[in-house]
Amino acid sequence: MLRKKLLIICGILMLVFCGQAFGAGKLVNGIDANFPPFAFIDKTGQPSGFDVEAMDWVAKEIGMEVSHQPIEWDGIITSLLTKKIDIIASGMSITEERAKKVNFSIPYWVIKQVMVAKKDSSLTIDDILNGKKAVGVQQGTSEAKWIKQEAAKKGWNLKLHYYSSAPLAVEDVLNGRIDAAAMDDAPAKDAMGKKAVKIVGTFGMHDEEFGYAVRKEDTELLKKVNAALEKLMGTPEWTALIEKYELNK
C-alpha cells in the first residue's frame, strides 16, 4: 500500500514539474538587453524592441503569457538548455553550430555583417582587416567566431577586443579605444542614428537569418510558435513593427 501511494505521489509530481514551463501558460523569453532595435531596455526600465513586441504577439496568438528576461548573450543558450528560460527571441542568427544544441523557428529576418567606424574616419575594410587595427565584436556572436577563424586562415593583421554588447563596442569606437566594430547591420544602422559613426562596409561574411530558438524536446512549442510567427509576418502588424523600428532604412 505504501509503495502504491509513493508511486501515485511521484506520478503527480512528475506531471506538475513537467508541466511547469508550458502547462501554466507562461513563457520566459531570454533577450540580449542591449541589442537595439531588436531587444533592449527602454527609458522606463521595461524590455522593448522588435523581437520583444513580436514575441508578445506570438505568445498571445498561442494562448500564453510571456515575460522577457535579460541574459548575458554568451551564456543565453546554456540558460535555455538549463530551463532558466523557455525561448530565445532576440536577434539570434541561425547557425549550424547552434542548431546542434537547439531547434530554430522559421527565419524571420535577414542580416548582413558590417564594420562600423567613426563618422569622419577614412578607414577602408582593407585598412581594418590588414592594418594592425583594433576591432571590437560582441562575445558569443557568429561574427566573433567567424572573424577569429578567418583572421587565422587569411593572416589578417588585426586585434580583436570582445564586448558584452555591440553598443559598448560602438562607445569604444567613439572614444578611440578601438578603430572599428563588427556587428549586424540593423544595430549598426541604429547606432548611426544616435552616434557619430558610420558603416564602412561588409567584410566578407555571408548573410545570416534570424530565428527563435527552443529546446530540442519542445517540438509542440516550436510548432505553435512557427504557425503564429508565420501568421504575424503576413499581417499589417508585422509591417508596422518593421516601420516602427526602422528595419528597412
Side-chain angles (χ1 to χ4, degrees):
M1 180 64 73
L2 179 60
R3 185 168 179 269
K4 184 176 180 181
K5 287 181 178 179
L6 287 172
L7 287 172
I8 292 172
I9 291 171
C10 288
I12 293 171
L13 288 174
M14 285 179 67
L15 287 172
V16 169
F17 286 112
C18 288
Q20 272 187 341
F22 312 124
K26 295 182 179 180
L27 285 172
V28 179
N29 175 35
I31 63 168
D32 180 343
N34 198 11
F35 190 65
F38 287 95
F40 56 92
I41 302 300
D42 66 20
K43 294 178 181 178
T44 68
Q46 297 301 309
S48 189
F50 181 87
D51 280 325
V52 170
E53 291 198 43
M55 189 61 222
D56 285 342
W57 195 100
V58 167
K60 184 177 180 181
E61 177 68 19
I62 64 178
M64 303 186 79
E65 295 179 13
V66 63
S67 59
H68 306 278
Q69 178 65 46
I71 302 286
E72 285 292 327
W73 191 251
D74 197 28
I76 200 165
I77 287 182
T78 299
S79 292
L80 178 65
L81 298 179
T82 55
K83 300 188 177 182
K84 294 177 181 177
I85 56 176
D86 304 305
I87 192 168
I88 302 170
S90 185
M92 175 168 277
S93 298
I94 300 171
T95 68
E96 185 177 345
E97 182 179 0
R98 287 170 176 162
K100 293 176 182 177
K101 301 176 182 178
V102 302
N103 280 345
F104 282 102
S105 70
I106 57 173
Y108 65 90
W109 200 256
V110 177
I111 52 96
K112 297 179 182 297
Q113 306 290 346
V114 299
M115 289 286 184
V116 171
K118 286 183 180 179
K119 195 171 185 178
D120 59 357
S121 173
S122 60
L123 288 174
T124 66
I125 292 296
D126 186 61
D127 292 333
I128 295 169
L129 298 180
N130 296 295
K132 297 182 181 180
K133 301 302 180 184
V135 176
V137 67
Q138 183 177 1
Q139 182 73 35
T141 59
S142 55
E143 60 267 27
K145 180 179 179 181
W146 189 90
I147 292 174
K148 184 178 180 180
Q149 290 177 338
E150 290 300 303
K153 289 179 186 177
K154 299 178 179 178
W156 288 342
N157 196 354
L158 57 80
K159 184 176 181 181
L160 285 176
H161 295 253
Y162 295 98
Y163 293 84
S164 62
S165 71
L168 287 178
V170 169
E171 288 301 319
D172 269 7
V173 168
L174 290 170
N175 63 37
R177 290 195 178 97
I178 57 176
D179 300 291
M183 64 189 69
D184 299 340
D185 59 350
K189 291 173 183 177
D190 183 81
M192 284 175 59
K194 300 172 182 176
K195 308 286 184 177
V197 294
K198 67 177 181 180
I199 293 175
V200 179
T202 58
F203 51 88
M205 187 175 172
H206 57 81
D207 293 353
E208 292 186 322
E209 295 176 317
F210 281 169
Y212 296 171
V214 300
R215 289 180 288 272
K216 290 283 188 181
E217 64 267 28
D218 292 335
T219 54
E220 188 61 29
L221 174 64
L222 182 61
K223 182 179 178 180
K224 292 179 180 179
V225 166
N226 274 335
L229 183 55
E230 185 173 16
K231 182 176 180 180
L232 172 59
M233 291 170 68
T235 66
E237 286 93 335
W238 184 257
T239 303
L241 281 177
I242 291 171
E243 292 177 353
K244 178 178 179 178
Y245 291 102
E246 300 181 325
L247 292 183
N248 277 336
K249 71 177 182 180

